[in-house]
Amino acid sequence: MALKIEARRQISTRMLYMTPFIAVAATVVAGFFLFMMLGADPFEALYVFFISPLETKYGLSELGVKAAPLIMIAIGLALGYRANIWNIGAEGQLTLGAVCGGAVALAFWEEQGLYILPLMALAGMAGGAAYAAIPAFLKTKFNVNEILTSLMLTYVATLFLAVLVFGPLKDPMGFNFPQSRMFSDSATLPIIWEETRLHIGFVVALLAAVAGWVLLTRSIIGFQIRTLGSAPAAARYAGFDRTRLTWFCLMLTGALAGLAGTFEVAGPIGQLVPNISPGYGFTAIIVAFLGRLHPLGIIASGLLMALSYMGGENAQINLSLPQAVTGVFQGMLLFFLLASDFLVRYRVRRVKPLAEGV
Amino acid sequence: MNIDTLLPMLLTVIAAATPLLLAAIGELVTEKSGVLNLGVEGMMLVGAVIAFAVTVGTGSAILGIIAAAFAGIALSLVFGLLTLTLMANQVATGLALTIFGIGVSSLIGSSYIGTPVEKLAVLHIPGLSDIPVLGPLLFGHDILVYASVAITVLVAWFLKSSRAGLILRAVGESDLSAHSIGYDVIKVRYLAVMFGGLCSGIAGAYLSLSYTPMWVEGMTAGRGWIALALVAFASWRPWRVLGGAYIFGGVTILQLYLQGAGGIGIPAQVMNMLPYLATIIVLTVISAGPWRGRLDAPACLGKPFRPAS
C-alpha cells in the first residue's frame, strides 16, 4: 500500500471551510509543545491563553475592542487579495488615518458637538485612502510592485506620527512627553457596554463586514474582483478595467484602515501617541486569510486573533511568559492554514502497489 | 572634508551596506530559481537573535554566525515545504514567514534585551591592515564584510559560468523545459531557497554582532524588505546588487551625518525616512524608466510548479 497525491478536478468547498479549523487545532497542539519548551504547564498555559480571557466581562469587552480594527482592515485586504492586489501596508494607512482623525479632534479641542466624531471619521478615512493612493498610483501608472511600496510607506508613516507627537501636536501642558492632548468628550467614541472600553467601532466593524459581503457577492464590482483573481484572462477578455479595480481595492482598504486608526485614537487610547497599534495592520493579513477572504468568515477570525492578543497579555500577567508568544501563535496559525490549504486542491489516496494485485 | 573625516564615513557605509548585500545576494539566488521568498525580514530577525544568543551563551561569535546560518536555513525549509511541496501561495507564505520570524525572534530575544556583547572582531592582516587610509578601508573589517563580497563574487561566477548555475537559471526561466530534460525542478528550488535562508541568517548575525552589537526587537527595521527591492533594482544581476547595496548603505549613512550636522532644523525622524523613500523612488525609476520591460525578472518567478506524475 502506498500513498498517492492527486489533484482534485475541482477545489473542495468542504475542505475550503474545514482548513481554518484544522489550522487552529494544529496551532493548539503546537502551542502545547511551545509552552512545554518555555517551561510552563502546557494545560494551564493553554487555558490561560485561550479560555481565561473569555471568562470575565473585561475580557469579553476587550475582545471586541481588539477585533474591531482587525475586522475592518481585513475586509478591505480580503477584497484586494481576491483580485491579487497585495496591499500589506495597512498598518501605515491605519497610522495616517489616526493622524488625520486625531488632527481634527485636536483642532476642535475646545468645541463641543455631535459633528466632531463624524468629521474625524471622514478625515481618518480620507487620510488612510490618500496614503493607499500612493501605491495605487505607482502600481497603475508605473507598474511598481505594491507589496514593497505599501510596506515601505508603513515605516514612513510611523516616523511621520513620531514627528508630529514629538513636535507640532505635542501636548503643551504634557511635561514634554511625546503625546498629544487627551481628546475632548465630543471627540471620544461612545461606549456601548457600560464600565468597559467596548466602543461603537465594534458595531461599525460588523456593519463593514456585512457591507463587504454584499459588495463581494451581490455587486458587479465584487464579481469583477473575484474574476480578476481567479481567472485573469477571462477578466481581460471581458474588458474589466484592472486599473480601476486596483484603485478601488487599495483606496477601500486604506479608508477602512484609516477609520480603524481613528477609532483607536478616539476610543481606547484617547490621544495621539507614538505607538497606536500593536501591529493590527499586519495581523489583519492573517485575519483575512483565516477568514477565507470571506467577509463573514473574517468576523470569526478577527475575534480569534483578538483572543490571541488577550491570551498573550494573560500569559504575561499570570505565567510571566513573554508577550511575544502572541506573534508566534499568529505566525504558526498562518503557516498551518497555508499548509492545510493543500487539501483543498489535492487529495491523498491510498493505492495498492501493482504487485499486490496478482 | 579631509581624509580624517571621510575615512570613518566610508567605513560606516560599508557597515550599513553589508547586511543588505548579504540578504539581497541570497534572495537573488532564490529568485533566479523562480521562487519569490518575501520572508527575508523574518529570517534576518531570527538570524540576528540566534547569533546573539549563541554568542552570549558560548562566547564564540563564529559559533553564533554558524547558528544564525542554520536558523535561516531552517526557516527557509519551512517556506520550501509550504511553497514547493505543498504548493502554497508564495506571497502569502513569505508574509507568514516574516510574521512568524518577528514573533519567534522577540520571544527568544526577550531575555537578552540590554545584554551587551563584544563587537565582532576586525580581522587584522599584518602588513596590509597597517597601510595608512587604504589599510583600514580595505583590510580593516570583520569576517562578515569579507564574506559578503566573497559570496557575491562566488554567486556571480556560479550563475554565469558554472553548469549548476546554468541549471538553476533554466529552472527559473522555464520550469517545464528544465523538468522535461530531466532536471529535478523542486530539488533545485529547495537548494536555492536554502541558500537564501543561509544568507539572510548571516545578514541578521551581522546586525546583532557587528552593526549594533546588541539585541533590539525588530532591529532589522525593514532591511529585509529593502534587500528584496535591491534584487529588482539590480535586475537580478549579482554585481549590480553589490553596487545597489553600497548606494543604499550610503543613503543610510548620509541621513546619519545630516542629523549629526544638526543645524538644518529637520527632525531626526524625517531623516530616518530617507532609506524607505529612496527605496520607493528607486523602484519607481526602474519600473518606469526607458529600460522598462528589460528588467530580466526570471520568467517563472513566483509561479508554483508541480511535475505531472
Side-chain angles (χ1 to χ4, degrees), chain A residues 75 206 209-213 291 293-301:
Chain A
I75 296 293
L206 296 181
V210 174
W213 179 71
L293 304 183
H294 189 293
L296 301 183
I298 284 169
I299 297 178
S301 61

Side-chain angles (χ1 to χ4, degrees), chain B:
Chain B
M1 186 173 283
N2 60 21
I3 200 75
D4 288 331
T5 53
L6 192 62
L7 185 63
M9 192 162 160
L10 287 175
L11 288 177
T12 47
V13 169
I14 293 172
T18 298
L20 295 175
L21 176 58
L22 281 166
I25 201 73
E27 177 68 14
L28 179 132
V29 171
T30 303
E31 290 191 12
K32 269 290 188 187
S33 80
V35 183
L36 178 66
N37 184 354
L38 294 182
V40 178
E41 180 88 355
M43 297 189 293
M44 279 176 79
L45 273 172
V46 174
V49 77
I50 292 285
F52 192 85
V54 171
T55 304
V56 169
T58 64
S60 160
I62 295 299
L63 282 180
I65 294 167
I66 292 171
F70 276 103
I73 292 175
L75 282 182
S76 71
L77 278 173
V78 175
F79 177 85
L81 178 72
L82 281 165
T83 57
L84 300 175
T85 303
L86 298 177
M87 279 156 294
N89 180 309
Q90 293 181 7
V91 173
T93 311
L95 291 177
L97 188 57
T98 289
I99 293 172
F100 182 73
I102 293 169
V104 168
S105 63
S106 60
L107 182 65
I108 299 172
S110 56
S111 54
Y112 290 100
I113 294 170
T115 311
V117 71
E118 202 174 323
K119 191 176 186 307
L120 201 54
V122 167
L123 282 190
H124 190 86
I125 306 161
L128 290 177
S129 301
D130 302 324
I131 305 170
V133 185
L134 275 185
L137 194 58
L138 295 177
F139 305 105
H141 303 290
D142 57 56
I143 185 167
L144 288 180
V145 174
Y146 298 121
S148 68
V149 178
I151 290 173
T152 308
V153 174
L154 277 174
V155 165
W157 169 83
F158 171 81
L159 287 174
K160 188 161 183 284
S161 311
S162 80
R163 187 179 161 76
L166 185 68
I167 295 170
L168 183 116
R169 283 189 289 143
V171 164
E173 292 298 338
S174 175
D175 43 20
L176 273 175
S177 326
H179 174 70
S180 63
I181 52 174
Y183 293 118
D184 189 339
V185 171
I186 299 297
K187 187 178 133 192
V188 171
R189 288 189 174 169
Y190 258 108
L191 290 172
V193 164
M194 285 164 70
F195 181 76
L198 179 143
C199 290
S200 290
I202 297 177
Y206 183 80
L207 284 177
S208 66
L209 296 183
S210 177
Y211 192 67
T212 45
M214 56 178 158
W215 165 251
V216 183
E217 239 176 63
M219 69 186 302
T220 45
R223 286 189 180 83
W225 296 100
I226 294 179
L228 275 161
L230 267 178
V231 178
F233 169 65
S235 305
W236 289 266
R237 289 181 177 86
W239 293 112
R240 292 195 194 173
V241 166
L242 181 82
Y246 276 78
I247 293 173
F248 268 84
V251 171
T252 312
I253 296 311
L254 183 69
Q255 48 121 343
L256 288 180
Y257 271 81
L258 287 177
Q259 273 174 42
I264 21 184
I266 300 170
Q269 291 96 345
V270 175
M271 290 301 190
N272 290 337
M273 294 177 189
L274 266 180
Y276 309 114
L277 293 174
T279 307
I280 294 173
I281 292 167
V282 156
L283 280 173
T284 306
V285 169
I286 56 158
S287 303
W291 44 85
R292 188 176 183 169
R294 293 193 282 119
L295 285 179
D296 297 334
C300 295
L301 188 59
K303 292 183 191 147
F305 174 75
R306 182 172 161 73
S309 52

Side-chain angles (χ1 to χ4, degrees), chain A residues 87-164:
Chain A
N87 174 11
I88 61 170
E91 183 83 1
Q93 292 142 26
L94 177 151
T95 305
L96 253 281
V99 164
C100 293
V104 170
L106 294 170
F108 289 88
W109 186 64
E110 285 167 317
E111 310 286 325
Q112 285 177 3
L114 287 174
Y115 64 93
I116 294 178
L117 270 175
L119 203 60
M120 287 166 66
L122 281 178
M125 288 168 73
Y131 211 50
I134 302 172
F137 174 74
L138 294 175
K139 169 79 177 180
T140 54
K141 187 84 180 160
F142 303 115
N143 199 26
V144 186
N145 184 326
E146 75 278 16
I147 299 175
L148 290 170
T149 49
S150 62
L151 189 96
M152 288 292 127
L153 286 171
T154 296
Y155 290 99
V156 176
T158 311
L159 291 165
F160 180 60
L161 174 65
V163 171
L164 294 179

Side-chain angles (χ1 to χ4, degrees), chain A residues 129-356:
Chain A
Y131 211 50
I134 302 172
F137 174 74
L138 294 175
K139 169 79 177 180
T140 54
K141 187 84 180 160
F142 303 115
N143 199 26
V144 186
N145 184 326
E146 75 278 16
I147 299 175
L148 290 170
T149 49
S150 62
L151 189 96
M152 288 292 127
L153 286 171
T154 296
Y155 290 99
V156 176
T158 311
L159 291 165
F160 180 60
L161 174 65
V163 171
L164 294 179
V165 292
F166 278 94
L169 296 185
K170 188 161 65 181
D171 183 356
M173 318 288 277
F175 306 104
N176 230 9
F177 277 108
Q179 53 195 31
S180 76
R181 293 178 202 266
M182 291 299 291
F183 295 171
S184 69
D185 285 348
S186 292
T188 310
L189 289 177
I191 298 294
I192 56 171
W193 194 5
E194 274 174 42
E195 296 162 24
T196 71
R197 301 200 299 167
L198 190 63
H199 54 77
I200 193 97
F202 183 64
V203 179
V204 176
L206 296 181
L207 291 176
V210 174
W213 179 71
V214 172
L215 180 77
L216 190 65
T217 57
R218 300 280 183 272
S219 76
I220 301 230
I221 199 152
F223 175 70
Q224 293 184 337
I225 286 171
R226 284 181 288 143
T227 312
L228 191 64
S230 55
R236 217 170 23 247
Y237 186 69
F240 295 168
D241 188 343
R242 198 185 151 82
T243 303
R244 206 169 62 98
L245 286 175
T246 305
W247 273 97
F248 178 80
C249 288
L250 276 161
M251 299 285 277
L252 182 75
T253 314
L256 284 167
L259 188 62
T262 300
F263 283 175
E264 281 308 294
V265 292
I269 303 175
Q271 64 188 145
L272 284 177
V273 292
N275 289 309
I276 287 170
S277 142
Y280 287 142
F282 297 112
T283 306
I285 297 171
I286 307 178
V287 170
F289 280 115
L290 191 66
R292 305 270 50 158
L293 304 183
H294 189 293
L296 301 183
I298 284 169
I299 297 178
S301 61
L303 287 166
L304 184 72
M305 282 294 119
L307 181 64
S308 76
Y309 278 110
M310 301 287 299
E313 283 174 17
N314 279 12
Q316 186 179 32
I317 297 165
N318 298 334
L319 307 168
S320 36
L321 291 171
Q323 208 181 340
V325 169
T326 297
V328 178
F329 265 89
Q330 293 178 348
M332 284 198 305
L333 188 56
L334 188 49
F335 274 145
F336 285 127
L337 182 76
L338 292 165
S340 52
D341 260 353
F342 182 73
L343 299 169
V344 176
R345 284 167 294 138
Y346 299 89
R347 64 179 160 203
V348 183
R349 269 206 331 180
R350 285 188 287 195
V351 289
K352 285 182 186 157
L354 286 175
E356 240 175 69

